[in-house]
Amino acid sequence: MKDHHHPSAIIGLYLATICLLLTVANAYTHYRLPTSIQPDRYKLKVITHLENPANLTFNGQVSIRFLVLEDTKNITLHVQNLTIDESRIQLKRYANKKIQLCTEGTQTVSEQDYYIIHLHETLRKGEMYKIKLFFSGILNEKLHGYYRSSYVAKDTNETKWLSVTQFEPASARAAFPCLDEPNYKAKFVIWLGHHKSLTALSNMPLEKQIPVNGINDFVWSIFEESVPMSTYLVAYTVNDFTYKESKVEGSDVVFRTWSRGGYIDQCDFASEVGPNVLKYYEEIFGIPFPLKKVDEIAIPDFSAGAMENWGLITYRETALLFAPNISSESNKERIAEVIAHELAHQWFGNLVTMKWWTDLWLNEGFATYIASLGVRNLSPEWDSYNADSLENSLSIFRRDAQLSSHPISQPILNTSQIGERFDSISYKKGSAVLRMLHMLLSQDGFFEGVRDYLTKHKYQNAEQDDLWSAFTEKAHKFNRIQPEYDMKTIMDSWTLQTGYPLVKVNRNYETGTIDITQHRYLENNTISEEEAKKCWWVPLSYTTNSELDFETTTPKKWLECDGSGKSVPLQLQNVAAANEWIIFNIQLSGVYRVMYDFDNWKLLNATFNSDKYDTIHVMNRAHILDDVISFAWSGYQDYDIAFDIMEYLTKEREYLPWKSALDGLSNVIRLLRPFPEQHAYIKTYLRYIIQPIYFNLDGLNNTIETSKSHSQILLKSLVTGWACRIELEDCVRTAINYFQQWKLSKNPDTENSIPADLRPTVYCTAIRHGDKDDWDFLWQRYKASNVATEKRTIIVSLGCSRNDKVLRDYIDLTFDKAEYIRKQDVTFAFSSIARSEVGAPIARSYYAENIAHLHEFFGTQSTDIGKLLVALSNQIITTEELNKLTQLVEANKQYFEKSEKSVQSAYETINFNIQWIGRNVQDMKTRLHDRLSLMGLLKDIVGE
């Protein structure tokens, strides 16, 4: 008789099936952890092995003390790519540590990274327990979790290895078993085991070192217990770096700025910035920094710009290290901004943390906005606050005008969606909305609200409604809004819906009335009814040319929404005389565009093109330029209004309006590139506009003395970059001369007389107009350089070549693991190749043919596949190429799971490109031909 007919065998099989069904039924698959336990304290011991490059690993143990919030028979933790020794799991009641509680097996739910431990008996509500797990893992190369990095020591040519963490948003689970969600705050005691020749750093100061039993020459570095914090802020590293120490008078916090040995002289600037900015934050927040030290460390391989881990802030080398005479003025400002951003997080994010990633903007928007105040306080002469504010607005005006954008605060229903939320909407729109609030509430109202919010929620978690309630109280206290208004109603309209308003201003010049309405501004000017119905509470500030009050940014009126969320039209009486203009949105204090009637544009144009143009505030000149260029770009108006106003730029000498105009025009010149006649016209027109400022700044000549202001240096970098791009003869010739002189120097790695701020222009122009020999020369300089900012400049410049063989080789080299470009930098190289007319098809082909390799190269957690797609989409202008791309994405859906928003944005960009060309190519030809003819400039175009 065969076994399977035997009754006991059938019963056994039946029971096994039932057990299996029960196990499956018990599989907890919700994307959020169950709420039955609350961790109180982790004791984490990790031994890191960096001795053998072929086997870079770690192993350790974690004890988690936790409180039971509701009776439970299992413990669910997060674990990713770790090996757990299941024979050594220990669970004890905290009050009676001698008795071990039994476990009944474990289970994994890989989609949510759950590791579920089933228990023999129920854990009782209100009691404390302690679980201990032993684990091991590999130091990965994917730049998240606990990973490896390396560098080559200049003097010995030896590869040095280090280990470092990057846990945000959800990779602490790849380093140790934990409850890896932001609302599970706990204290951490961290022990790092490592070779005694190396240094270990973590969030807290080092308490002591003791030998590791059983491993020769290994020590435990034991750190003080931490303040309560979320798992994503835990950090540690083992390395052989050196540091520069700094402190500021009136503060007890010690800063140490760490880098690899040969780079320590590039730490001076950062070591000054950190302590000064931290002290300023302590003053404005009224809450002392709770730790005794801050370590800032420059990591050779790092995926983000920087990471705000409490007490151990990690940076890309380009974001922390500044080399005088080699790094540029904009590098310097960027470094100050990143440091200020990460230090702002010590309060916004670390001290008070969002409850869930839905409100990521409370971290990132705040850190971005507060950083602009921190840098302004550090170097008021830079005028960086206005430049930052404009930059944020320009970037979100573009992104948020797409249907594929998203609200600042939007539910996240799976961990895989978190990565894409670290985008310009969370950072820059979050910041712009906070700036709007600051200008609305005034200095006192804003910072009192901030202090109350931070004090009330410190060491805890909050959501945006907590912020609104703090601000409502202050808005009423300081009479900034009417008693019947509240900040939640106002601010929800900005954070809970996608997009921003276009405010339409229509004047009746006979009666003096002004009618004001709003609807969503969309780049694609065909507005669906649904989108047109959206309504924002818009703070309206305005002035006229008899009043010229550009200082009062508080709203004189509100454009309101009614109870059902519909916009209420507004009418103003007798605000401006018939012969004077009106300007809304003083200093771009609100996040909205303004479209005037034709006569108001004419009145504005008359002032712009007169010697009184500078009676209009520089921020409003920049805003008006961006608006008119965008309205023409999107088909709301024709290009004549934009070109008329832009012509005043021949007189403009300030950075912000130029930045605004040239950013806006970059798209036009890009889309006209495949059409030789139109491209020649637009370049001739731009040369006419740029020439006066180019020569006023002495072109590419090295006349940037120390007396020149920061914004003038930025202006010179911007204008010369464009002058060479549109082939202004003096610019191209000077750039090539600089480069050839450099090539002829005896030791080009130490003798480079090209001014630091002009290097991006000179390198790109020389490579664009040069040959393979020039490219090879710059590639050698890249390999020899030990300045991260310079290496970044070179990576981008190498993509400027017009030689397709050179570019094919470069793109292969970029993704070759054994070569020289670090994983964090490949998107810069790829995007640079994709931007050029010769490089765009090469980049598209490479992407299509190597999609599987690219996915493997970046790793499953990365959103970089999507970033490369966005870079490609800007250059795609035909339905045929769009179809090819669509087929590629459809056939490889699994690679785009983390990049849904990027894919949508790419499609939208391409569809818009195709529409724009259909609408404008012929029109541009006629319009520019006639304009150039009137200006007497047609003779400058070869063949006319």
Side-chain angles (χ1 to χ4, degrees):
M1 195 189 294
K2 287 189 177 168
D3 267 357
H4 62 258
H5 288 134
H6 194 275
S8 64
I10 291 169
I11 290 164
L13 188 63
Y14 174 72
L15 287 173
T17 309
I18 291 288
C19 286
L20 186 66
L21 286 170
L22 283 172
T23 307
V24 173
N26 281 336
Y28 180 80
T29 57
H30 186 57
Y31 69 98
R32 296 289 301 274
L33 286 170
T35 53
S36 48
I37 68 172
Q38 174 71 44
D40 170 60
R41 181 174 180 265
Y42 289 78
K43 185 170 183 185
L44 176 63
K45 295 181 167 185
V46 181
I47 296 177
T48 304
H49 294 283
L50 296 171
E51 314 79 69
N52 175 7
N55 192 28
L56 299 170
T57 60
F58 63 93
N59 59 280
Q61 59 185 69
V62 63
S63 300
I64 309 171
R65 183 171 78 198
F66 62 90
L67 175 67
V68 178
L69 302 179
E70 50 202 63
D71 288 4
T72 181
K73 279 198 81 172
N74 66 54
I75 297 168
T76 304
L77 303 172
H78 283 117
V79 171
Q80 187 188 81
N81 299 335
L82 295 174
T83 305
I84 308 284
D85 184 345
E86 304 206 334
S87 65
R88 297 172 75 188
I89 296 175
Q90 297 171 23
L91 175 66
K92 294 174 180 172
R93 190 174 282 108
Y94 199 69
N96 187 349
K97 293 178 191 170
K98 292 199 173 92
I99 299 173
Q100 173 107 351
L101 304 177
C102 291
T103 59
E104 283 195 340
T106 64
Q107 179 191 5
T108 56
V109 180
S110 54
E111 190 196 349
Q112 310 295 0
D113 301 322
Y114 288 153
Y115 184 77
I116 303 171
I117 301 159
H118 293 285
L119 309 173
H120 185 64
E121 63 180 88
T122 303
L123 304 185
R124 296 292 171 205
K125 178 179 175 177
E127 293 204 18
M128 288 283 247
Y129 294 83
K130 186 171 168 185
I131 188 161
K132 188 186 227 179
L133 297 132
F134 292 80
F135 59 89
S136 58
I138 292 165
L139 288 169
N140 72 69
E141 298 171 89
K142 303 297 184 198
L143 312 189
H144 62 85
Y146 192 29
Y147 72 91
R148 65 179 79 176
S149 177
S150 66
Y151 68 95
V152 176
K154 268 273 192 271
D155 42 357
T156 60
N157 213 24
E158 178 193 354
T159 299
K160 302 286 192 100
W161 290 93
L162 60 139
S163 64
V164 67
T165 56
Q166 170 58 36
F167 291 164
E168 190 180 33
S171 291
R173 62 192 67 180
F176 61 96
C178 56
L179 289 90
D180 198 12
E181 290 181 7
N183 56 323
Y184 288 107
K185 288 192 171 185
K187 300 184 283 288
F188 287 81
V189 175
I190 294 174
W191 292 36
L192 297 179
H194 57 92
H195 195 276
K196 65 182 184 189
S197 64
L198 300 173
T199 301
L201 302 173
S202 185
N203 305 82
M204 302 302 289
L206 183 70
E207 196 174 276
K208 59 181 176 185
Q209 278 190 334
I210 57 173
V212 174
N213 286 336
I215 312 182
N216 286 346
D217 296 329
F218 264 58
V219 292
W220 285 113
S221 288
I222 302 170
F223 298 90
E224 293 174 15
E225 181 172 283
S226 78
V227 292
M229 61 183 181
S230 304
T231 47
Y232 78 87
L233 292 167
V234 173
Y236 40 91
T237 169
V238 175
N239 59 64
D240 69 340
F241 284 11
T242 51
Y243 68 89
K244 183 179 178 66
E245 192 170 296
S246 55
K247 232 180 128 173
V248 71
E249 201 179 322
S251 171
D252 297 330
V253 183
V254 175
F255 271 75
R256 291 182 301 178
T257 306
W258 296 79
S259 72
R260 36 173 144 163
Y263 286 31
I264 194 67
D265 57 341
Q266 296 175 42
C267 291
D268 292 358
F269 178 62
S271 71
E272 278 173 45
V273 172
N276 280 300
V277 170
L278 192 83
K279 183 168 182 253
Y280 169 68
Y281 289 164
E282 289 187 313
E283 288 162 9
I284 61 171
F285 299 145
I287 297 174
F289 180 68
L291 311 185
K292 297 178 216 164
K293 64 91 179 175
V294 176
D295 285 310
E296 303 198 290
I297 183 167
I299 305 295
D301 300 281
F302 197 74
S303 64
M307 177 60 210
E308 68 264 21
N309 317 298
W310 228 340
L312 173 57
I313 305 174
T314 44
Y315 293 81
R316 270 190 193 209
E317 291 179 330
T318 49
L320 191 70
L321 304 179
F322 180 82
N325 304 321
I326 300 174
S327 303
S328 68
E329 195 75 7
S330 56
N331 293 147
K332 190 177 206 172
E333 186 179 330
R334 163 89 181 131
I335 289 165
E337 272 170 13
V338 176
I339 293 170
H341 180 102
E342 302 313 323
L343 290 173
H345 270 308
Q346 308 301 300
W347 285 265
F348 291 97
N350 300 14
L351 187 68
V352 179
T353 313
M354 75 252 142
K355 283 186 178 166
W356 178 240
W357 299 101
T358 292
D359 282 327
L360 172 68
W361 84 273
L362 287 178
N363 283 15
E364 298 304 348
F366 254 111
T368 304
Y369 182 61
I370 296 295
S372 65
L373 301 175
V375 174
R376 178 170 71 179
N377 179 70
L378 183 79
S379 301
E381 73 285 359
W382 283 359
D383 191 28
S384 58
Y385 176 77
N386 278 342
D388 274 353
S389 305
L390 181 71
E391 168 64 38
N392 289 339
S393 296
L394 295 185
S395 124
I396 56 164
F397 278 162
R398 178 72 24 88
R399 173 69 184 110
D400 213 21
Q402 291 190 310
L403 285 167
S404 60
S405 185
H406 63 87
I408 294 178
S409 176
Q410 184 184 20
I412 285 181
L413 304 175
N414 205 319
T415 318
S416 67
Q417 297 172 344
I418 302 169
E420 272 207 296
R421 252 352 110 64
F422 288 80
D423 65 357
S424 61
I425 299 296
S426 298
Y427 286 69
K428 295 183 174 183
K429 189 177 180 188
S431 172
V433 161
L434 288 167
R435 176 174 175 265
M436 180 165 75
L437 245 175
H438 189 178
M439 290 183 145
L440 167 66
L441 290 170
S442 79
Q443 187 75 351
D444 290 347
F446 182 74
F447 277 108
E448 275 195 29
V450 164
R451 276 177 223 132
D452 284 4
Y453 167 77
L454 289 172
T455 306
K456 186 174 179 184
H457 300 284
K458 63 180 177 184
Y459 300 114
Q460 293 168 358
N461 300 77
E463 50 202 346
Q464 68 170 25
D465 283 0
D466 297 315
L467 190 64
W468 303 152
S469 70
F471 280 139
T472 297
E473 191 191 319
K474 301 307 166 193
H476 290 152
K477 175 182 167 183
F478 289 95
N479 295 321
R480 308 309 281 201
I481 57 175
Q482 278 119 304
E484 67 273 19
Y485 288 4
D486 71 87
M487 294 311 290
K488 177 174 164 55
T489 307
I490 292 169
M491 297 312 297
D492 277 357
S493 75
W494 295 95
T495 60
L496 297 183
Q497 58 183 351
T498 309
Y500 58 88
L502 170 65
V503 171
K504 286 189 159 178
V505 176
N506 276 308
R507 298 175 58 183
N508 183 323
Y509 292 83
E510 285 165 17
T511 64
T513 57
I514 303 178
D515 288 304
I516 302 172
T517 56
Q518 62 162 308
H519 65 69
R520 181 176 174 193
Y521 180 81
L522 281 166
E523 183 175 55
N524 188 337
N525 186 10
T526 49
I527 299 162
S528 74
E529 211 156 305
E530 208 43 50
E531 290 300 327
K533 281 183 198 156
K534 285 188 169 170
C535 177
W536 288 261
W537 282 74
V538 185
L540 297 173
S541 52
Y542 51 85
T543 192
T544 63
N545 59 331
S546 57
E547 187 185 35
L548 293 179
D549 174 10
F550 284 99
E551 292 312 307
T552 309
T553 57
T554 46
K556 292 180 179 174
K557 295 281 179 192
W558 284 84
L559 206 47
E560 301 181 10
C561 310
D562 67 17
S564 66
K566 284 201 186 79
S567 178
V568 182
L570 176 70
Q571 190 171 75
L572 304 179
Q573 307 283 350
N574 303 320
V575 172
N579 63 345
E580 57 178 4
W581 48 250
I582 187 164
I583 289 176
F584 280 80
N585 204 1
I586 302 299
Q587 291 190 44
L588 189 48
S589 51
V591 186
Y592 58 96
R593 292 192 181 284
V594 187
M595 187 187 284
Y596 303 101
D597 56 71
F598 184 72
D599 287 338
N600 200 73
W601 283 125
K602 266 178 36 186
L603 291 164
L604 281 169
N605 187 41
T607 300
F608 267 88
N609 280 288
S610 73
D611 55 4
K612 293 214 168 62
Y613 71 90
D614 57 357
T615 58
I616 297 171
H617 193 282
V618 67
M619 281 294 273
N620 284 95
R621 301 203 299 274
H623 181 207
I624 287 167
L625 280 165
D626 184 58
D627 274 355
V628 290
I629 293 168
S630 299
F631 294 154
W633 170 251
S634 298
Y636 286 84
Q637 290 175 344
D638 68 36
Y639 268 96
D640 276 341
I641 293 177
F643 287 148
D644 284 347
I645 288 184
M646 268 168 50
E647 276 163 30
Y648 103 93
L649 285 167
T650 53
K651 299 191 289 284
E652 180 63 82
R653 300 293 176 261
E654 292 280 343
Y655 172 64
L656 298 180
W658 275 106
K659 169 87 178 121
S660 181
L662 294 174
D663 272 13
L665 286 173
S666 61
N667 294 307
V668 177
I669 199 163
R670 167 171 58 77
L671 291 188
L672 289 180
R673 213 162 45 190
F675 307 95
E677 216 172 336
Q678 287 87 331
H679 196 227
Y681 288 164
I682 190 86
K683 285 201 299 188
T684 303
Y685 179 68
L686 283 171
R687 283 199 287 268
Y688 163 77
I689 285 178
I690 281 178
Q691 227 158 340
I693 181 96
Y694 174 80
F695 288 113
N696 174 268
L697 294 166
D698 205 13
L700 261 182
N701 296 312
N702 186 12
T703 49
I704 305 180
E705 313 97 26
T706 45
S707 62
K708 285 273 169 78
S709 74
H710 174 80
S711 61
Q712 286 294 100
I713 294 170
L714 296 184
L715 177 60
K716 180 156 178 153
S717 308
L718 176 73
V719 165
T720 52
W722 268 82
C724 278
R725 181 177 168 185
I726 57 176
E727 293 173 331
L728 195 64
E729 196 185 329
D730 180 83
C731 191
V732 176
R733 189 178 58 244
T734 313
I736 292 169
N737 285 345
Y738 265 131
F739 195 81
Q740 295 309 322
Q741 281 173 345
W742 184 30
K743 275 179 79 176
L744 294 171
S745 57
K746 283 198 176 64
N747 187 349
D749 292 322
T750 53
E751 300 166 31
N752 181 350
S753 61
I754 304 168
D757 295 279
L758 303 180
R759 286 182 188 183
T761 297
V762 170
Y763 294 175
C764 179
T765 307
I767 293 299
R768 189 172 162 76
H769 294 273
D771 56 19
K772 173 88 165 60
D773 187 60
D774 294 320
W775 197 96
D776 289 339
F777 169 79
L778 193 59
W779 175 244
Q780 291 309 317
R781 304 293 70 77
Y782 169 77
K783 292 200 287 190
S785 172
N786 71 335
V787 176
T789 52
E790 174 79 346
K791 287 175 95 83
R792 164 82 60 83
T793 299
I794 294 175
I795 282 173
V796 173
S797 303
L798 288 166
C800 296
S801 173
R802 287 193 281 200
N803 177 325
D804 64 358
K805 169 140 188 12
V806 163
L807 290 178
R808 278 177 216 286
D809 291 347
Y810 185 31
I811 209 164
D812 284 338
L813 193 73
T814 299
F815 294 101
D816 180 348
K817 275 189 183 169
E819 267 302 343
Y820 306 91
I821 296 185
R822 293 182 180 272
K823 185 172 289 184
Q824 67 198 18
D825 293 326
V826 296
T827 51
F828 296 103
F830 183 89
S831 300
S832 174
I833 296 165
R835 262 199 301 273
S836 77
E837 58 271 50
V838 181
I842 293 169
R844 280 202 298 275
S845 304
Y846 185 90
Y847 189 81
E849 288 157 22
N850 295 279
I851 190 83
H853 166 62
L854 291 171
H855 184 257
E856 165 60 25
F857 177 86
F858 289 121
T860 52
Q861 300 300 310
S862 171
T863 56
D864 283 332
I865 283 260
K867 284 182 192 152
L868 299 190
L869 188 72
V870 170
L872 290 174
S873 70
N874 287 323
Q875 316 302 323
I876 294 177
I877 58 171
T878 66
T879 314
E880 183 193 356
E881 285 298 338
L882 170 60
N883 292 339
K884 278 191 201 165
L885 195 73
T886 310
Q887 285 161 8
L888 177 75
V889 172
E890 285 301 309
N892 297 281
K893 275 192 174 140
Q894 70 275 28
Y895 302 146
F896 293 96
E897 284 171 358
K898 293 257 174 22
S899 306
E900 283 173 30
K901 285 283 173 202
S902 298
V903 172
Q904 290 167 5
S905 176
Y907 286 161
E908 208 170 335
T909 298
I910 297 166
N911 279 313
F912 183 84
N913 289 349
I914 294 166
Q915 274 180 28
W916 188 92
I917 283 171
R919 197 171 62 230
N920 290 288
V921 161
Q922 280 315 108
D923 179 66
M924 274 291 186
K925 187 174 169 181
T926 317
R927 212 177 279 277
L928 284 165
H929 179 280
D930 294 351
R931 194 168 278 267
L932 294 172
S933 177
L934 279 171
M935 296 157 91
L937 294 173
L938 282 180
K939 61 184 185 305
D940 296 351
I941 300 172
V942 180
E944 279 285 335

